[in-house]
Amino acid sequence: MALRARPLTSKQPSESDETPKIIQTDSSDDDEIKDLPKPPPPPSAPATLRQRAVSQSLASTANLANLLPTGTLLAFQLLTPIFTNNGVCDAATRPLTVILLLLLALSCFLFSFTDSLKTPDGRIFYGIATFKGLWLFDYADETGSAASLPDLSKYKFRFIDGVHAILSVLVFVSIALRDKNVVSCFYPKPAIEVQEVLDIVPIGIGFICSLLFVVFPTTRHGIGYPISHPK
């Protein structure tokens, strides 16, 4: 008796087998991850004593610059690197740097005695204070009458003007001593004691002068300062 072979049927994969399984996660786990505190940023290194001193001296120098005429300060910043050869002075540039500093200090002294006034018609005049009043530089009385000018005797020289002139020179000296080109020109390799003096004395001079300017404020607005209104 012959046996008949049964046909083999291949099992087709069902749709349920081909569909990828999706793993569902609990949303509460995600919320817990979000709620976890973030690690704190690494602490920054504290500033050293020298860094704090340098930043403080730079801030004080910037504040002292407001007490000087704008033109003098601008000339100092532009001409000092040229005259000092960026701090590398020789027998020729060192005397020229001394002359430049003396001229700029003289300008600070003289500009402290200058003043300005604004007439009712909007014209601005500059002059220098004398013992009798304000002597105007650029005033030309074409009509022969000075009725448009205020009383110039109110602008006469006073003792406080001399004090402000001396303080302006001292402020300029303190700023010059904090300039690296000037210091490198006259003290290329200063000793420890000299470096301490250069670090302390300008800051002390600037601090004292700032206090005196606050206690004895000036009412003049001369060359290089804001314009004043009629007094």
Side-chain angles (χ1 to χ4, degrees):
M1 179 176 179
L3 295 177
R4 180 180 300 178
R6 297 180 61 183
L8 297 176
T9 59
S10 61
K11 185 179 181 182
Q12 299 293 332
S14 60
E15 295 180 356
S16 59
D17 296 336
E18 294 180 354
T19 305
K21 295 182 179 180
I22 300 176
I23 301 174
Q24 296 182 354
T25 59
D26 192 359
S27 61
S28 60
D29 296 338
D30 298 337
D31 297 337
E32 291 179 358
I33 296 175
K34 293 180 181 180
D35 295 338
L36 290 177
K38 296 182 179 180
S44 57
T48 61
L49 180 60
R50 183 178 181 84
Q51 291 175 349
R52 291 197 299 267
V54 170
S55 61
Q56 185 176 2
S57 63
L58 291 177
S60 61
T61 302
N63 295 330
L64 289 175
N66 297 327
L67 304 177
L68 296 178
T70 306
T72 301
L73 185 62
L74 181 60
F76 174 77
Q77 293 176 346
L78 292 178
L79 298 179
T80 299
I82 300 175
F83 275 67
T84 61
N85 193 18
N86 293 323
V88 183
C89 291
D90 52 20
T93 56
R94 188 173 290 108
L96 293 177
T97 303
V98 173
I99 295 174
L100 174 65
L101 296 178
L102 290 177
L103 291 177
L104 293 178
L106 180 62
S107 68
C108 291
F109 184 83
L110 294 179
F111 286 165
S112 300
F113 300 104
T114 60
D115 206 342
S116 62
L117 59 88
K118 188 175 183 180
T119 58
D121 56 358
R123 293 184 298 173
I124 299 173
F125 298 100
Y126 291 91
I128 187 170
T130 63
F131 290 100
K132 294 183 179 180
L134 187 67
W135 182 71
L136 299 179
F137 297 141
D138 52 352
Y139 177 71
D141 190 4
E142 300 176 355
T143 61
S145 175
S148 60
L149 295 177
D151 186 9
L152 298 181
S153 62
K154 297 180 180 179
Y155 298 84
K156 63 182 180 180
F157 173 82
R158 293 170 295 178
F159 173 75
I160 194 65
D161 296 330
V163 175
H164 289 156
I166 297 175
L167 293 179
S168 297
V169 174
L170 293 177
V171 169
F172 174 76
V173 171
S174 64
I175 292 179
L177 291 177
R178 297 301 303 173
D179 186 79
K180 63 178 182 179
N181 293 325
V182 175
V183 175
S184 299
C185 178
F186 296 100
Y187 301 99
K189 296 180 180 180
I192 298 178
E193 294 80 5
V194 176
Q195 186 63 45
E196 291 177 351
V197 173
L198 294 175
D199 291 338
I200 297 174
V201 171
I203 298 177
I205 294 176
F207 179 74
I208 295 174
C209 293
S210 299
L211 290 180
L212 293 177
F213 267 110
V214 173
V215 176
F216 305 102
T218 180
T219 57
R220 300 220 181 259
H221 302 272
I223 300 175
Y225 296 96
I227 303 300
S228 63
H229 298 283
K231 298 181 181 178

